[in-house]
Amino acid sequence: FVNWFNGLPSAAPMRNKEMHEDIVDRLQRKKKGTNVVIVGVGNVALDCARILLRSTEELKETDIASHALEALEKANVKSVTIIGRRSVAQAKFSPKELREVIGLPN
């Protein structure tokens, strides 16, 4: 997912069509919406949550890959849950980064 939204060539839709279609399908489930679960307590886990929770208007101001922005504009993400396998003491993100995610409106 990280490589996909960052636009890495190995995850580009033209190169890895199956992965792209799988991500888009999961993000755009129309009937029930998508409940996303992220496993990890590092800054990459928080980056994934920020991408899923920010508005596409905000994301337009970033360097997100255009195919990811297009898919996220049509996304139907209902909730994002972050699960850690370790305690808070081993978290690899700062309190500031966590506050940013918690402070997002959605």
Side-chain angles (χ1 to χ4, degrees), residues 43-98:
N43 57 357
V44 174
L46 288 186
D47 287 343
C48 292
R50 277 196 292 262
I51 291 294
L52 293 167
L53 294 170
R54 278 191 174 162
S55 73
T56 52
E57 289 302 315
E58 290 177 288
L59 292 174
K60 286 179 184 177
E61 304 300 320
T62 69
D63 61 351
I64 191 169
S66 58
H67 62 265
L69 182 62
E70 183 180 322
L72 289 165
E73 285 177 326
K74 299 172 188 167
N76 190 18
V77 176
K78 284 178 40 179
S79 68
V80 175
T81 303
I82 300 174
I83 298 173
R85 296 182 304 148
R86 297 183 177 151
S87 74
V88 176
Q90 284 98 13
K92 300 298 181 193
F93 53 79
S94 71
K96 179 183 175 190
E97 291 171 313
L98 181 59

Side-chain angles (χ1 to χ4, degrees), residues 13-29:
M14 298 298 278
R15 189 174 226 180
N16 198 334
K17 186 177 179 181
E18 185 178 325
M19 181 183 72
H20 173 73
E21 289 174 352
D22 184 50
I23 291 171
V24 170
D25 179 59
R26 290 171 188 268
L27 289 174
Q28 297 177 359
R29 292 187 175 161

